[in-house]
Amino acid sequence: MKAFIPHKDTLLQLARAQREYIDAFNARPATGVFLYPRYPLWAFAEELPEEILGCAIRAPLPCDGGASFPVELESAEGRTMLRIVFATAGDSPSPATGVSCPAAAAPAVRCVQFPLRPRVFRTGTALLQDNGWQLFDERWHKRAELST
């Protein structure tokens, strides 16, 4: 399995947005569902382009009983869409109506301005085992221009 790993500065921004999103979502008692953080803040895929020309990390969206940051990688072959899944839904202490995250219940994140366009990031082969993860054959990608 291949992995896209943002630089540590970008990871700190994503962690801040993750915390704000989860706190805002869990503060709404009407949803009947609580979100729990999920790590690592990496995007996984079967294959990734060899040469990545650009990258954009979009604002968080609800997905499959949780929430994720959509990631768009640009390469000579075209665009590749990935997701950094950062939250998983679980039942609340009170009776829940279901484990889904409707788009209407998704809070906006104000602490980070999206889309993020990281200039530095890594790709590699990931091994997820039990409660740990490792990265092999890592490769740094550094875009020359500054992000806007």
Side-chain angles (χ1 to χ4, degrees), residues 1-2 4 11 15 18 37 45 60 69 77 81 88 91 100 111-112 115 118 120-122 125 130:
M1 174 183 317
K2 302 294 182 181
F4 164 84
L11 285 173
Q18 172 192 35
F69 298 108
E77 295 91 36
M81 297 301 294
T88 303
D91 293 340
S100 64
C111 67
V112 176
V120 179
F121 52 89
R122 293 182 293 166
T125 303
D130 298 326

Side-chain angles (χ1 to χ4, degrees), residues 85-136:
V85 179
F86 68 86
T88 303
D91 293 340
S92 66
S94 61
T97 57
V99 181
S100 64
C101 297
V109 172
R110 290 183 283 270
C111 67
V112 176
Q113 187 174 4
F114 288 99
L116 295 175
R117 299 196 189 283
R119 203 173 72 80
V120 179
F121 52 89
R122 293 182 293 166
T123 58
T125 303
L127 174 64
L128 300 174
Q129 189 173 6
D130 298 326
N131 201 21
W133 51 87
Q134 295 178 347
L135 187 65
F136 301 98

Side-chain angles (χ1 to χ4, degrees), residues 10 55-58 74 115-120 143 146-148:
T10 306
C55 172
I57 302 174
R58 310 257 179 233
E74 299 173 29
L116 295 175
R117 299 196 189 283
R119 203 173 72 80
V120 179
R143 295 187 5 219
L146 293 174
S147 60
T148 56

Side-chain angles (χ1 to χ4, degrees), residues 43-74:
F44 298 99
E46 290 301 319
E47 284 299 319
L48 291 176
E50 196 62 34
E51 189 64 36
I52 299 172
L53 304 174
C55 172
I57 302 174
R58 310 257 179 233
L61 296 172
C63 72
D64 304 330
S68 67
F69 298 108
V71 177
E72 182 180 339
L73 301 178
E74 299 173 29

